[in-house]
Amino acid sequence: MSTSINLGGGVRVRLGTKSSSISVGGKNGRVTLNSKGRRTTTLRAGGMSVSSSSMPAKRKPKQKQAASPRRSALAPTASPGPLVAPRRSIANGWVACDGRAVVVHRAGQDDVRIPVAQITQAWLEGKNLALMAQGYDPLYLRLTTLLTSRDMRFVKAVAKAAGLGPS
């Protein structure tokens, strides 16, 4: 639903459900600014019309910082290096293996790295990726991917990077 109000003197205000705008000008030239930041300029002369539109540069949204983020027993890390297998989606995040470590990213938490040299077992239990590593509690990650064959390729790539035999 939209409402248009003529304020006179070539000024018009349009109020809509998703945005609103104000136009200044008349039949031969007009400038319109909308609530989303778009500016449209239109010029008309001799049966011909030219219009240009511009949007402001997008701003990066500020990331919210948790008041007290949960710390994991595993070490925090930056993004993984070159991957030995495509990363797999897990509940609330993803898991990847870059040949040096398995990286687990969960929304709202620090990323964690498990060095592949410390991994003693890696297997798939249904849709759960299970990892055993020296000095760590067993880790079970719920995979949300669709193809079990790709999940199994990921497990085999982790096992190969860790120097484990075929499982």
Side-chain angles (χ1 to χ4, degrees):
M1 176 138 195
S2 174
T3 303
S4 182
I5 303 166
N6 188 351
L7 300 177
V11 179
R12 180 177 296 273
V13 176
R14 189 191 66 77
L15 304 171
T17 54
K18 294 186 179 182
S19 69
S20 56
S21 65
I22 183 168
S23 295
V24 178
K27 196 179 353 178
N28 295 324
R30 172 185 326 243
V31 175
T32 304
L33 301 171
N34 80 0
S35 59
K36 295 184 179 181
R38 181 180 300 268
R39 184 182 84 208
T40 305
T41 305
T42 305
L43 297 173
R44 293 183 185 102
M48 191 156 116
S49 176
V50 177
S51 181
S52 71
S53 187
S54 65
M55 285 289 291
K58 285 189 177 183
R59 295 181 185 170
K60 290 184 181 180
K62 292 182 181 178
Q63 292 185 353
K64 296 179 183 177
Q65 293 182 348
S68 58
R70 288 187 244 165
R71 294 286 177 183
S72 173
L74 305 174
T77 183
S79 298
L83 301 178
V84 297
R87 76 181 189 189
R88 308 307 297 153
S89 295
I90 61 172
N92 295 322
W94 51 263
V95 61
C97 182
D98 67 2
R100 296 178 311 241
V102 172
V103 180
V104 179
H105 171 83
R106 290 189 179 124
Q109 297 180 11
D110 290 337
D111 290 356
V112 294
R113 273 180 100 74
I114 305 169
V116 292
Q118 294 180 357
I119 294 176
T120 58
Q121 291 180 355
W123 71 96
L124 203 56
E125 282 184 9
K127 289 302 280 182
N128 290 317
L129 169 64
L131 296 172
M132 296 285 287
Q134 297 169 355
Y136 297 103
D137 291 332
L139 184 63
Y140 294 93
L141 302 170
R142 179 76 179 153
L143 297 168
T144 58
T145 53
L146 297 175
L147 298 173
T148 305
S149 60
R150 288 192 180 163
D151 295 341
M152 197 61 214
R153 270 189 263 161
F154 180 83
V155 171
K156 287 180 180 179
V158 169
K160 182 178 178 183
L164 303 175
S167 50

